[in-house]
Amino acid sequence: MDIAEVTRELKQLEYNALTAEFNLDTASIAAIMDDGFVSIDAKQVINKQTELTGIYNNINRRLNEGHTVDSFYLDQFRVDLFDNTAITTFFTVTKGRIKDKPYENKRTRFYDVWVKRQGVWKLVSMQATFL
């Protein structure tokens, strides 16, 4: 596999997933997640369905609190490739508003693990650190 091609493909998948999240489109996110997906946070390991519910509830809560994301980009995007497994690390940098007060350059670090099965990349694990 060509690392440049894999990097472009995974960066687009990550970007699409975050766009879907900000649009409350959990169906699009579910489509890229492996059935055995796990998310890791400081308190627990979370399965696919619990993660999708959490994404929906978190974004819905943020919208109800007047927190919107106007734009974002991926910074310091890196892919480490091991046969059919890839690890992506990057920051999301967001610009938006919280109760009509603008903010910019809010950074979140991501560490994601992808596996290519039958020619399709699937997200198998994710960890996000809010800075």
Side-chain angles (χ1 to χ4, degrees), residues 100-117:
D100 293 325
K101 183 177 178 183
Y103 70 86
E104 58 183 61
N105 297 322
K106 181 178 179 190
R107 297 172 72 82
T108 304
R109 179 181 295 280
F110 284 87
Y111 177 93
D112 294 346
V113 179
W114 296 81
V115 173
K116 194 166 197 177
R117 295 194 177 122

Side-chain angles (χ1 to χ4, degrees), residues 8-34 37 51-52 55-56 59 62 69 72 74 77 88 90 92 110 112-114 121-126:
R8 280 190 299 277
E9 186 176 357
L10 290 176
K11 189 172 187 179
Q12 188 64 55
L13 286 168
E14 295 280 12
Y15 187 88
N16 292 350
L18 288 162
T19 299
E21 180 176 342
F22 296 139
N23 291 323
L24 290 173
D25 180 5
T26 53
S28 291
I29 299 168
I32 66 163
M33 296 169 87
D34 187 75
F37 172 88
E51 179 69 13
L52 290 167
I55 288 169
Y56 182 87
I59 294 294
R62 289 171 57 190
V69 175
F72 74 94
L74 307 182
F77 194 86
T88 59
F90 60 95
T92 57
F110 284 87
D112 294 346
V113 179
W114 296 81
W121 286 106
K122 291 291 187 173
L123 183 61
V124 295
S125 183
M126 178 180 87

Side-chain angles (χ1 to χ4, degrees), residues 4 6 13 41 45 64 78 80 90 129:
V6 170
L13 286 168
D41 68 19
V45 176
N64 287 334
R78 176 182 168 160
D80 292 296
F90 60 95
T129 302

Side-chain angles (χ1 to χ4, degrees), residues 39-57:
S39 177
I40 302 163
D41 68 19
K43 298 176 186 174
Q44 60 190 335
V45 176
I46 302 165
N47 68 19
K48 180 178 178 177
Q49 188 57 51
T50 302
E51 179 69 13
L52 290 167
T53 301
I55 288 169
Y56 182 87
N57 290 339

Side-chain angles (χ1 to χ4, degrees), residues 60-101:
N60 197 39
R61 176 188 51 78
R62 289 171 57 190
L63 290 173
N64 287 334
E65 293 172 354
H67 182 177
T68 58
V69 175
D70 297 328
S71 64
F72 74 94
Y73 65 92
L74 307 182
D75 191 27
Q76 297 180 21
F77 194 86
R78 176 182 168 160
V79 172
D80 292 296
L81 185 60
F82 309 93
D83 296 323
N84 289 334
T85 302
I87 297 170
T88 59
T89 55
F90 60 95
F91 289 98
T92 57
V93 183
T94 57
K95 177 181 178 182
R97 294 179 308 265
I98 299 175
K99 295 184 180 181
D100 293 325
K101 183 177 178 183

